Amino acid sequence: MTSSLPDNWQSWLVNTLAARDRDGLRRAPASIDSMQATRVQRDGQWLANFCSNDYLGLAAEPALQDALIDAVRRVGVGAGSASLVCGHHREHAALSEELADWLGVEAVLLFGNGYLANLGVLTGLAGRGDAIVQDRLNHASLIDGAMASGAKHLRYAHADASAAEQRFASLPESISKRVLVSDGVFSMDGDIAPVADLVVVAKRQQALFILDEAHAFGVIGSEGRGSVSHATLANDAVPLRIGTLGKAFGVYGAFAAGPRVLIDALQQLARPAIYTTALPPALAAVTRVALKHVRNDQWRRDQLQANIAQFRTGALAQGWRLMSSETAIQPILIGDTASANALSAELLARGFWVSSIRPPTVPVGSARLRVTLSSAHSSEAIAGLLNALAELTPRFLSNQN
Ligand SMILES: *Cc1c(COP(=O)(O)O)cnc(C)c1O
């Protein structure tokens, strides 16, 4: 096939992809044929799925399937326009109120997804002349949001509140609008941010503290209220919290939660919430049902914790290097990209889907298998994964250290 691309673009694109191939970093999505659940069919092969963020097993929950079908019959498929034009449905309003009630905050603003929420919040609240200080290991969307904002952007050593404070101390006094941002649970490590210490730093520095609870909401805290509740802090200890609805909620979308004045301002300032079509109202409706499960189904969190314990105990006994995580994200640290890819491939051949996470998503030399657990995993499935890992210890554990 001949290309209509200009020659210089053709060669740049080909070279860019070739470099990814050479480094084992080329990515492409695998298509699944089944529901998103703890067993999925991929290219005709059934696999035990240990890489989704469906921590509470809600993505395939029959009650949610029924709720979505009912909602589509009532409210149709698409929102039709942006929320500030004519796309805001009563279901969106009800979901926002119920999320605010759950978190004990005054108001919530919905976003298309978590990436947009982080982009919108940081570009809406900070700009040239302001400063954003954030954890080195924060999610890519927070890094991108900070860069897009044009604010001075400083990163501090992972989970180190005193390093955060030093960053603030290095800023000129003239910078009065300061933002502190952290993941609540870190997406590639699974550890929990030192939220109580960061609250103190933010207060001392007069900084607005924003917490991204993508992997915390639903998973930790009372009624799944995330890392603030987990740290036994008051609901308003962190002024702005971001949640995604595509992980523990099992659906799609995201929201920012906080005091009314802040949410009202975001409605005016967060361009990725303004110049975009509203979430399908049926998704808002089904998310209201998902929220009931998140709040009330403590048994799902209990089962998830039991599954985490089963995996950690087994993997540590075999000598694998796990990270200090008490959440659903349980990475096996490997180091070099080629070994992580090879381990992922060996597990796949044995019927277990665990994705290998490599640079640039994680720092060079810290490639890992990102095992994620769900309340929906059976103990047999976890035992199966541990058996497969046991077969692979001779080859992969001698490589370490
Ligand atoms: C997944 C994730 C996001 C993005 O959320 P989406 O709804 O998937 O776009 C943002 N922050 C963190 C920490 C995440 O893990």
Side-chain angles (χ1 to χ4, degrees):
M1 209 165 23
T2 59
S3 169
S4 59
L5 291 165
D7 287 346
N8 55 335
W9 278 101
Q10 175 76 22
S11 56
W12 180 79
L13 292 164
V14 167
N15 290 340
T16 299
L17 292 173
R20 293 283 170 121
D21 284 334
R22 190 187 56 232
D23 299 338
L25 297 177
R26 175 102 169 231
R27 300 151 183 238
S31 306
I32 65 172
D33 308 313
S34 61
M35 273 194 208
Q36 177 58 245
T38 54
R39 291 189 65 72
V40 292
Q41 194 178 28
R42 168 178 155 181
D43 298 330
Q45 184 190 7
W46 280 96
L47 298 168
N49 179 6
F50 284 95
C51 47
S52 104
N53 303 315
D54 178 27
Y55 302 128
L56 301 180
L58 293 176
E61 165 63 43
L64 296 194
Q65 294 176 37
D66 292 343
L68 180 57
I69 292 164
D70 286 351
V72 166
R73 298 260 180 244
R74 272 187 296 116
V75 305
V77 178
S81 92
S83 59
L84 291 174
V85 183
C86 62
H88 192 62
H89 193 278
R90 184 194 297 277
E91 292 290 350
H92 295 116
L95 172 60
S96 302
E97 280 166 25
E98 289 162 12
L99 287 167
D101 175 69
W102 169 53
L103 293 176
V105 298
E106 286 175 1
V108 153
L109 181 65
L110 297 176
F111 282 85
N113 59 48
Y115 189 100
L116 290 173
N118 285 337
L119 197 66
V121 163
L122 292 181
T123 59
L125 296 176
R128 198 159 302 155
D130 304 329
I132 297 174
V133 173
Q134 66 173 313
D135 191 291
R136 289 203 76 74
L137 297 190
N138 275 357
H139 190 260
S141 54
L142 292 169
I143 307 293
D144 293 359
M147 292 196 301
S149 75
K152 191 169 175 57
H153 181 201
L154 300 175
R155 296 165 78 182
Y156 59 86
H158 176 52
D160 184 341
S162 61
E165 183 128 48
Q166 282 163 23
R167 291 294 191 221
F168 281 114
S170 76
L171 293 170
E173 295 262 332
S174 59
I175 298 187
S176 65
K177 273 173 69 218
R178 301 168 171 216
V179 178
L180 173 63
V181 196
S182 179
D183 283 12
V185 168
F186 288 87
S187 53
M188 297 301 141
D189 294 54
D191 57 334
I192 301 173
V195 178
D197 295 342
L198 292 172
V199 165
V200 172
V201 170
K203 195 153 279 168
R204 258 201 305 260
Q205 297 294 332
Q206 295 277 293
L208 177 69
F209 184 16
I210 303 174
L211 202 50
D212 177 346
E213 294 281 76
H215 300 280
F217 282 157
V219 174
I220 56 175
S222 145
E223 292 191 356
R225 283 195 204 90
S227 57
V228 170
S229 164
H230 183 81
T232 66
L233 295 165
N235 289 328
D236 62 356
V238 175
L240 188 60
R241 288 179 280 171
I242 314 293
T244 170
L245 303 170
K247 288 170 181 157
F249 280 77
V251 193
Y252 190 75
F255 62 94
R260 173 82 55 195
V261 63
L262 182 46
I263 299 304
D264 282 354
L266 285 174
Q267 177 72 86
Q268 316 307 313
L269 301 171
R271 294 165 67 89
I274 299 168
Y275 299 103
T276 193
T277 302
L279 282 174
L283 283 192
V286 70
T287 305
R288 297 175 63 195
V289 184
L291 174 59
K292 291 203 173 78
H293 288 283
V294 165
R295 289 190 81 154
N296 301 333
D297 295 359
Q298 181 56 38
W299 64 267
R300 292 181 196 262
R301 275 181 288 281
D302 294 343
Q303 186 61 54
L304 176 58
Q305 283 303 326
N307 291 352
I308 293 166
Q310 183 189 351
F311 173 76
R312 283 188 69 86
T313 307
L316 288 170
Q318 293 174 19
W320 297 96
R321 284 169 67 191
L322 301 185
M323 305 185 86
S324 66
S325 163
E326 52 188 293
T327 69
I329 302 164
Q330 291 292 332
I332 302 175
L333 197 58
I334 301 298
D336 72 287
T337 298
S339 299
N341 288 349
L343 178 56
S344 177
E346 290 289 350
L347 288 172
L348 193 63
R350 289 165 173 77
F352 297 90
W353 192 357
V354 187
S355 49
S356 133
I357 306 286
R358 349 164 223 187
T361 306
V362 292
V364 172
S366 72
R368 64 199 67 175
L369 257 66
R370 181 174 180 270
V371 176
T372 54
L373 295 156
S374 167
S375 63
H377 282 123
S378 64
S379 73
E380 292 75 22
I382 296 164
L385 174 63
L386 290 168
N387 286 340
L389 283 168
E391 287 175 25
L392 295 163
T393 50
R395 175 165 161 206
F396 287 92
L397 285 182
S398 54
N399 281 349
Q400 293 197 20
N401 307 315

